[in-house]
Structures are given as C-alpha cells and as structure tokens.
Amino acid sequence: SNMLYLRVRIGDIGDDLYAIFINDMSEQRRFEAVRRDFVTNVSHELKTPAGAISLLAETVTDAADDPDAVRYFSGRISKESARLTELVRRLIDLQKAQSSEGSVIDVKRISALAVARAAINDNQVQADARYIDIRLNVNGKPVPISAGEGDDEPSETELMIMADADAMQTAVKNLVENAIHYSPEHTTVAVGVGERDGKVTIRVVDQGIGIPEKSLDRVFERFYRVDPARSRETGGSGLGLAITKHCVQENGGRISVWSRKGEGSTFTIELPAAPADEEPTAVQGA
Ligand code: ADP
C-alpha cells in the first residue's frame, strides 16, 4: 500500500516525490530496526530460561539416585519455568497494551481510588512476605486499604477518571509490584491518590534501592533493567514499566519518575479528572 500511495503521488507532485520517498523509507527502516531489536530481545529472554530448563532436566536425570540433588534441581526447574511463564504473560500484556490503540480499550468513568485499592490487593501477599507495609492516602490523608461495607465516603474523595479500568489496574499494579520488589524488608510503600489542577494523580512511593540518575529516562524502555543480573535472579522481565507506560498513555495520561539511589523511588501517573456529573462505575477486583 506504500508503493501504491507513492505511485499516485508521482503525477501530483513531480520532483517532490524523491524527498517524500526517502522520508518514507527511513520511517520504514526505523520501524524495522525497532521491530528487529524487539524480536532479538524476546528470543534472548525466552532462550535463557528454556536453555536452563533443558540443562537442569538432564542433570536431574543423571542424579536420579540422589534425593537431595533431585529436590534441588527440581526446585530450580520450577523456578525457571515460572520465569518463562511470567515472561510470556508479560509479553501478552505488552501486546495487548500496544494493539488496543483507541479501539479495544473500554473507557469509562472510574474511581482512581478503587484502581489504587485493587492494585494494592493484587500485591498484598508479596508485600506481607517481605514485611513491607503498604499504606494508602487520598490527598495526603490516610485511608483504609479495603473499601469496607456500607462505604459512606463522599464521592469527591473517589477521584474519578475517564479510563479503561483493566489498563489502569495493570499500570498501578506493576508500579506497586516494583516498589515491593526493589525495596528491602521492613520498609513502607505509600500509594497516594490526589487531585490538583483538574488532574488526578496516582503515586507510588518506596524506600527502596532507588534508580541511578543516568538510568531514569530509560526504565520505561522494553527490556531495560538497571541491574540485569539482580532483576533476572528475582524474576524480572524488564517489561513491566513499558507495559505501564503504554497503559497510561493510551488513556491520555502521563507517567514520570523521581528517584535517588539508595533513598527510594516515586512513580507518578497523571490523568485528566473526569467531569463531575455522572454515576461512578465500579472497578472489578476492588
Ligand atoms: P523488571 O521486570 O526488571 O522489574 P520493569 O520494566 O518493571 O522490569 O523495570 C525496569 C527496571 O527499572 C528494573 O529492572 C529496575 O532496575 C528498575 N526499577 C523499576 N522500578 C523500580 C523501583 N521501584 N525501585 C528501583 N528500581 C526500579
């Protein structure tokens, strides 16, 4: 269809064609290069655990009469399979986030507070396992994490946004997951929802290892990790923040990060506030 377009243009613009053609090709080439990198990265990321699994399976066969060794290698096999499964899950998330440009996302009037609560609930087990205390606040004021029955909170504290509930929940869930993942035990993760100048913000603040300044603008890239060894060891895919950024952007929002190495990180999602006149729509899993 590119060629057809160019041929039609020949008659129209004569000499200008050359410039347009060059421009069009370099666009195309850039796209190809990005796609090639992505495929290379994906292949590499899938090959590593897959290779490990087949090596470990051979080892466990060789060690069949040593129960301790069998237990050890089986454990490592399940860990590597879990990584593989997680990676595939993330790739599907990313694919969904990228292919839903405009058409598939289901934009409704939803509560940013409910999104935050759902994202916390999704991570509560992992937080407890690491003695990390997750706190929730609205405009700086602490609120309970579970919405509770007969909830009589006034609707203005719900902070309504126009967005796809699934996409936003994925976005915030990934931020909370990272906050837990990159923090030492016995620290606090604070999730804050607030409103200012017609924008609703969802902020995730941790007291973790932080991100070095030179990596700050790269953490949203697919497969980028500050410390590949650590991230891989702990099951990271390098896709979480790329997915988060996509989810936020397709809902008309922005995401930013502040961090200092050793002091912690703050990720802030900013979305336009929904107009105030309609009925709220529930977020599932909240
Ligand atoms: P991963 O699966 O490796 O966590 P992400 O895309 O979620 O991938 O994050 C990319 C990288 O950004 C991580 O590998 C990590 O180095 C860094 N990072 C993300 N969130 C945090 C955080 N809260 N604290 C410190 N580093 C973080």
Side-chain angles (χ1 to χ4, degrees):
S1 73
N2 251 346
M3 284 318 290
L4 187 65
Y5 168 77
L6 287 171
R7 229 181 286 139
V8 171
R9 301 293 282 176
I10 291 175
D12 291 352
I13 47 168
D15 290 346
D16 287 347
L17 171 73
Y18 195 60
I20 287 177
F21 184 72
I22 295 285
N23 185 40
D24 204 60
M25 284 309 282
S26 65
E27 268 293 301
Q28 184 78 10
R29 248 195 306 258
R30 238 192 327 268
F31 176 76
E32 281 298 314
V34 168
R35 196 186 58 83
R36 250 197 322 270
D37 279 358
F38 182 63
V39 173
T40 308
N41 282 335
V42 171
S43 319
H44 176 79
E45 295 300 325
L46 292 175
K47 255 196 256 165
T48 314
I53 289 170
S54 83
L55 266 177
L56 288 163
E58 269 173 43
T59 317
V60 85
T61 310
D62 292 344
D65 43 12
D66 178 351
D68 284 342
V70 169
R71 213 169 299 124
Y72 172 74
F73 288 114
S74 306
R76 289 200 42 201
I77 289 174
S78 16
K79 214 176 128 197
E80 293 295 330
S81 334
R83 230 185 93 196
L84 203 51
T85 310
E86 173 67 10
L87 191 58
V88 171
R89 194 179 66 78
R90 291 288 182 130
L91 281 168
I92 293 169
D93 274 357
L94 183 64
Q95 180 62 31
K96 271 200 236 153
Q98 288 180 330
S99 65
S100 59
E101 225 110 82
S103 54
V104 183
I105 62 165
D106 182 16
V107 175
K108 286 199 179 102
R109 190 166 191 276
I110 58 167
S111 152
L113 181 57
V115 168
R117 283 184 163 136
I120 293 172
N121 279 330
D122 285 345
N123 283 289
Q124 196 64 64
V125 173
Q126 289 84 336
D128 291 346
R130 310 210 46 241
Y131 310 99
I132 287 173
D133 186 17
I134 307 187
R135 301 205 182 139
L136 178 63
N137 64 73
V138 173
N139 285 322
K141 184 178 135 265
V143 296
I145 285 169
S146 46
E149 291 109 63
D151 194 356
D152 56 6
E153 271 176 296
S155 67
E156 57 266 28
T157 67
E158 290 283 326
L159 302 167
M160 306 306 285
I161 51 175
M162 291 300 295
D164 179 287
D166 282 345
M168 286 317 301
Q169 202 172 311
T170 300
V172 182
K173 186 192 73 188
N174 286 347
L175 295 183
V176 177
E177 192 177 313
N178 280 345
I180 295 166
H181 203 119
Y182 296 102
S183 292
E185 295 188 346
H186 303 284
T187 55
T188 297
V189 169
V191 179
V193 186
E195 185 165 17
R196 196 169 32 132
D197 305 329
K199 305 265 191 234
V200 170
T201 55
I202 305 175
R203 182 166 288 166
V204 179
V205 185
D206 69 51
Q207 304 170 327
I209 60 173
I211 300 164
E213 200 180 341
K214 65 171 171 41
S215 299
L216 273 181
D217 55 354
R218 299 205 60 194
V219 291
F220 297 104
E221 290 173 21
R222 291 180 299 209
F223 298 112
Y224 182 82
R225 300 155 169 139
V226 175
D227 178 354
R230 182 197 155 108
S231 167
R232 198 164 288 138
E233 195 185 297
T234 53
S237 63
L239 291 175
L241 288 178
I243 293 166
T244 294
K245 187 178 174 188
H246 259 281
C247 291
V248 171
Q249 284 184 339
E250 78 180 350
N251 282 289
R254 293 196 317 192
I255 182 162
S256 59
V257 54
W258 176 93
S259 184
R260 198 162 286 155
K261 206 166 157 51
E263 286 181 27
S265 309
T266 296
F267 284 84
T268 305
I269 293 174
E270 195 183 87
L271 293 149
D277 51 3
E278 287 164 60
E279 284 297 299
T281 308
V283 169
Q284 77 240 49

